[in-house]
Amino acid sequence: MRARAPASAANLGPGFDTLAVALELYVDVEVKPAPRLTVRSEGEGSDLPADGSNLAAQVAMAVAGNDRLAVTIRSQIPVGRGLGSSAAVAAAAAAAAGANNPMVVATVRDGHPENAAASIVGGLVSATTVVGATMVTRLSLDPGLVFVVLVPDRRLPTAAARQILPASVALGDAAFNLGRMGLLLGGLADRRRLVRAATEDRLHQASRSPLIPEASQLMAGLVRGGARAACVSGAGPSVLGLCDVETGRRVRDYGESLLEEARVPGRALLLKADTRGLVVGPP
């Protein structure tokens, strides 16, 4: 069986561990019976171990209940860049191995229900865990929005980015984020209402700035170049610009110059939101 899942950008500023949008970058995982475990990777993540420690292989073996599998991964999603590669791989591998509920598998394996939900449901989602169950809501997303992603060449493990966060936050900061998230959801549903302040955050982006020192410069630059708002994508180091479809190409080109000015090796991508989510079919 073969399954395809999209990348995702989580948090979107104030929606820490809650919001994510699926993006048109994909991972395909194919799982077939075989005399013994074989793992083959192409594209992004092809430098990862081709053995039982590979995430796709771990998920497929857990679902199938054995290691007599041939697992093939073909990915466009940069690894360790804040684009939900782990959740997408886990979702696709679970589905390709025959899981009845890939959402449960991907959430447990990745630990981030919002990324898993975006990769499985598609579009803009809000997700959380209630009494051990993942609850997902598909939210309105203006089809006239596109996303410019500035992707540094270096990786930033999510675990390292999470360890740097404070254990508690001030009440005023929590209220600030709730207010900004209201602005953000309104703007994502109707891009005419999307303002720069909608992606402001006091819970995670500032704390992670030592790990992503160029983020503030790149976010400000994307807005200056025409994006309506900008934020760190997931745990970083990628930075996301929310743009009108009419200006997306120009902002992408401007983003390439921003990376050069900041002396950050990387690339600028122009992506639409994926609206299909997980797709499962025969090899």
Side-chain angles (χ1 to χ4, degrees):
M1 188 69 73
R2 182 172 62 188
R4 186 189 207 198
S8 59
N11 300 330
L12 305 178
F16 179 64
D17 277 5
T18 302
L19 296 180
V21 61
L23 300 173
E24 286 189 338
L25 283 176
Y26 299 96
V27 60
D28 284 271
V29 178
E30 186 175 328
V31 178
K32 296 180 178 179
R36 60 180 178 83
L37 178 67
T38 61
V39 180
R40 183 163 63 92
S41 296
E42 300 175 7
E44 299 286 350
S46 60
D47 57 334
L48 297 175
D51 56 28
S53 67
N54 185 284
L55 175 60
Q58 289 182 351
V59 171
M61 289 188 295
V63 171
N66 66 77
D67 62 356
R68 298 182 299 279
L69 303 170
V71 181
T72 302
I73 308 105
R74 302 178 180 90
S75 183
Q76 303 171 335
I77 308 173
V79 176
R81 306 303 207 283
L83 291 170
S85 63
S86 295
V89 167
N100 292 326
N101 193 336
M103 182 78 75
V104 171
V105 178
T107 299
V108 170
R109 284 284 173 169
D110 182 61
H112 296 278
E114 72 281 9
N115 286 109
S119 287
I120 292 171
V121 176
L124 174 68
V125 299
S126 173
T128 191
T129 302
V130 179
V131 195
T134 300
M135 307 292 289
V136 180
T137 300
R138 181 87 176 258
L139 303 170
S140 296
L141 181 64
D142 192 319
L145 284 172
V146 292
F147 303 87
V148 171
V149 191
L150 305 186
V151 186
D153 285 344
R154 71 181 189 280
R155 295 178 180 177
L156 175 57
T158 302
R162 184 165 289 271
Q163 287 173 358
I164 203 170
L165 297 180
S168 60
V169 298
L171 178 62
D173 291 340
F176 177 95
N177 268 50
L178 288 171
R180 291 304 191 272
M181 192 159 74
L183 284 178
L184 178 61
L185 293 177
L188 290 172
D190 181 353
R191 58 179 168 146
R192 295 170 299 178
R193 299 165 57 192
L194 183 57
V195 296
R196 179 178 184 177
T199 51
E200 292 177 340
D201 157 78
R202 291 184 181 175
L203 298 187
H204 64 104
Q205 291 186 154
S207 297
R208 286 168 168 163
S209 60
L211 301 178
I212 324 169
E214 71 278 4
S216 294
Q217 177 183 348
L218 295 178
M219 288 188 292
L222 285 172
V223 173
R224 189 169 62 248
R228 286 186 176 267
C231 60
V232 173
S233 180
S238 295
V239 170
L240 187 75
L242 287 64
C243 311
D244 293 328
V245 66
E246 296 85 359
T247 60
R249 193 176 298 276
R250 173 165 56 86
V251 177
R252 189 272 316 277
D253 293 344
Y254 191 70
E256 292 179 346
S257 67
L258 290 173
L259 289 169
E260 293 178 4
E261 290 172 10
R263 298 183 179 179
V264 176
R267 51 188 160 142
L269 305 176
L270 175 60
L271 302 172
K272 296 179 181 179
D274 169 88
T275 57
R276 297 183 68 189
L278 182 67
V279 176
V280 184

